[in-house]
Amino acid sequence: AQSVTQLDSHVSVSEGTPVLLRCNYSSSYSPSLFWYVQHPNKGLQLLLKYTSAATLVKGINGFEAEFKKSETSFHLTKPSAHMSDAAEYFCVVSENTGRRALTFGSGTRLQVQP
Amino acid sequence: DAGVTQSPTHLIKTRGQHVTLRCSPISGHKSVSWYQQVLGQGPQFIFQYYEKEERGRGNFPDRFSARQFPNYSSELNVNALLLGDSALYLCASSFLGNTEAFFGQGTRLTVV
């Protein structure tokens, strides 16, 4: 079985300051991990993915995440927040088995203050 | 290129009615998955189809069913609608069942 825990339901930062969104996962198999972003009334957009290659993954819009197997974590970071980053962020796990159902965390709402 | 398209974008149904939601995957993608996103929560997996066969099913009642057509488009059907079925229904397509998933904008279903 697989599961994802997003440790913060809301994160508020000031524009220009770093962003840290925390995610821990549980998986019986070697997982693939993803971060998706959802802007209001929009679909889900893939930010980045980890699929057992480099543990530091770079994504779109300056976001990156580091896979730490020993800590079962996959935290999302960005050096400098922009107003347009305000959205809901989902950490997602998929086990590398025949069925590739995605298991989503409960989401973290990022607010960016001017 | 067109992304994943879903129709309709919004609809309102009455309890006990039936609803059909439609999804067209990205051209060349053979796998379609359906997710339910209740307000304030993360999406929950409902079904995955690959090459017109069901490859996975989430923890949803038998009132939920789906199918995939030869052109890889898909329908999600929900019978005997309940108020709790009100949600955003998302469709995702991928080239194979185990590759990156691309999501549509979703269908917002309201059951009254």
Side-chain angles (χ1 to χ4, degrees), chain A residues 78-89:
Chain A
K78 183 174 181 178
S80 176
H82 191 273
M83 295 296 291
S84 61
D85 294 328
E88 189 87 16
Y89 290 79

Side-chain angles (χ1 to χ4, degrees), chain A residues 45-112:
Chain A
Q45 181 184 19
L46 180 68
L47 279 178
L48 49 81
K49 61 182 178 181
Y50 165 78
T51 54
S52 74
T55 56
L56 182 62
V57 181
K58 293 187 184 298
I60 62 172
N61 300 334
F63 285 95
E64 63 181 40
E66 186 172 7
F67 173 71
K68 293 186 175 181
K69 186 176 181 179
S70 61
E71 299 176 10
T72 60
S73 69
F74 191 58
H75 301 334
L76 181 70
T77 60
K78 183 174 181 178
S80 176
H82 191 273
M83 295 296 291
S84 61
D85 294 328
E88 189 87 16
Y89 290 79
F90 293 98
C91 183
V92 181
V93 64
S94 173
E95 292 183 342
N96 292 321
T97 58
R99 191 191 84 169
R100 293 303 182 97
L102 301 178
T103 298
F104 284 74
S106 55
T108 298
R109 179 160 298 278
L110 176 65
Q111 291 182 311
V112 182

Side-chain angles (χ1 to χ4, degrees), chain B residues 59-101:
Chain B
N59 187 25
F60 280 80
D62 291 342
R63 299 185 296 107
F64 288 76
S65 64
R67 55 180 175 169
Q68 187 177 31
F69 299 99
N71 66 353
Y72 302 112
S73 67
S74 177
E75 284 183 352
L76 175 69
N77 295 283
V78 186
N79 293 323
L81 284 166
L82 304 174
L83 294 179
D85 295 331
S86 297
L88 180 67
Y89 288 84
L90 295 162
C91 174
S93 79
S94 58
F95 177 61
L96 301 173
N98 59 353
T99 52
E100 178 180 333

Side-chain angles (χ1 to χ4, degrees), chain A residues 3-5 32 41 62 76 80 90 94 107:
Chain A
S3 66
V4 175
T5 301
S32 293
N41 300 314
L76 181 70
S80 176
F90 293 98
S94 173

Side-chain angles (χ1 to χ4, degrees), chain A residues 2 99-103, chain B residues 33-36 43-49 54-66 76:
Chain A
Q2 57 192 23
R99 191 191 84 169
R100 293 303 182 97
L102 301 178
T103 298
Chain B
S33 298
W34 287 94
Y35 291 81
Q36 181 197 64
Q44 298 289 317
F45 171 72
I46 309 176
F47 286 109
Q48 183 188 47
Y49 277 79
E54 182 182 306
R55 292 300 181 93
R57 183 185 184 116
N59 187 25
F60 280 80
D62 291 342
R63 299 185 296 107
F64 288 76
S65 64
L76 175 69

